[in-house]
Amino acid sequence: KHGLVFASVNSANVKLHMMQDVFFAVSRQIDWGADAQRFVEGLFQRQGYQWPSPGEPVALKEVAEANHVDDIILRRAFNQWLTKDLMKDTDMAQDFRIAVTQLCVNPLDPAGHDGVTVAPILQWLCGELKLLSPLKSAQIFSRITRHNARAMLRSLCRWLRLAGHKGLFLAIDIRQVTRTASVASEGVRFTSGAVMDAYEVLRQLVDDAELFEGFFLAVVADHA
């Protein structure tokens, strides 16, 4: 109803005390390709250019032909738009900016770009990339850890708004956290230390609320 992207995290299967795991769980529910496509189309439309096939990747040469401009000039202009609207947007973490910029290049190179840079970036965003070496060409050299995961979540909220959404609605089910390790027979078992760390993750999200753009957090717990 309010244009928010919905994502849910259940502590029964996500280590809530590890902020990076929370981010990865959210990231796996984001349609990164569709959002990049929407952003790129909007970028061209705001500059007065038509997108030949709405909702579908189109080679830049075809976009240039449809708008009766030289493709070399259009590519140079496109790179300038990306630099201005993404790479210089300091409301997003640098590595996040690099990642989504690469994703935005893909709709204009549908024939061969996917799998070379895009697939590893998606794996990196979702916590599924084992080695960082495939990302060296994209100038990404760091993993997403508990130290930068909150900044990545803030960046995601900003990115969703740039991609045409109103923001992110995140529902976190903490009922598993409230069950002692001896009682929880299935799923993630939280030690007393992990329980405190999980509450610290939530506290930090609340404390940083004013830094998040378009972010609604709902926490589900057992009745007292």
Side-chain angles (χ1 to χ4, degrees):
K1 179 180 177 180
H2 295 285
L4 298 169
V5 174
F6 179 78
S8 62
V9 174
N10 192 331
S11 58
N13 48 50
V14 175
K15 295 177 180 177
L16 191 57
H17 57 295
M18 305 293 286
M19 184 60 209
Q20 72 270 33
D21 285 6
V22 174
F23 173 77
F24 294 144
V26 173
S27 182
R28 294 182 191 117
Q29 299 172 65
I30 300 300
D31 193 336
W32 293 96
D35 287 336
Q37 178 72 38
R38 188 181 300 108
F39 176 81
V40 169
E41 287 188 33
L43 195 60
F44 274 87
Q45 289 166 1
R46 288 193 297 275
Q47 299 296 330
Y49 293 96
Q50 221 176 15
W51 190 266
S53 301
E56 298 179 9
V58 178
L60 186 135
K61 190 175 181 62
E62 293 180 38
V63 179
E65 290 175 352
N67 289 277
H68 310 291
V69 296
D70 183 81
D71 61 303
I72 296 176
I73 294 175
L74 187 59
R75 183 174 294 278
R76 186 182 301 119
F78 174 64
N79 290 336
Q80 291 174 345
W81 304 336
L82 281 183
T83 299
K84 177 178 177 292
D85 288 13
L86 285 184
M87 288 305 297
K88 290 189 176 181
D89 189 333
T90 55
D91 287 331
M92 296 182 287
Q94 181 174 331
D95 282 351
F96 189 94
R97 279 179 270 160
I98 293 172
V100 293
T101 298
Q102 290 293 331
L103 294 180
C104 287
V105 171
N106 191 55
L108 291 166
D109 192 6
H113 194 273
D114 191 25
V116 177
T117 302
V118 172
I121 283 177
L122 292 175
Q123 292 168 359
W124 176 75
L125 286 167
C126 295
E128 299 165 354
L129 189 67
K130 297 186 187 304
L131 300 174
L132 288 174
S133 51
L135 297 180
K136 286 184 178 179
S137 60
Q139 301 298 304
I140 295 176
F141 304 104
S142 302
R143 294 187 179 279
I144 299 172
T145 67
R146 64 189 306 168
H147 302 294
N148 62 359
R150 201 161 64 256
M152 295 294 286
L153 186 61
R154 287 200 305 269
S155 301
L156 173 59
C157 291
R158 170 65 175 163
W159 163 244
L160 289 176
R161 288 173 70 88
L162 292 176
H165 305 287
K166 295 297 184 181
L168 174 68
F169 185 119
L170 174 58
I172 300 182
D173 187 330
I174 67 167
R175 286 176 287 186
Q176 184 82 348
V177 175
T178 63
R179 300 182 181 118
T180 62
S182 59
V183 173
S185 57
E186 296 181 353
V188 178
R189 302 178 69 181
F190 291 85
T191 64
S192 57
V195 170
M196 295 305 295
D197 286 344
Y199 287 138
E200 179 65 11
V201 165
L202 294 176
R203 186 193 67 77
Q204 290 175 343
L205 286 176
V206 172
D207 287 349
D208 282 357
E210 63 182 19
L211 302 177
F212 282 78
E213 185 176 345
F215 181 55
F216 190 101
L217 174 64
V219 178
V220 181
D222 284 322
H223 292 293

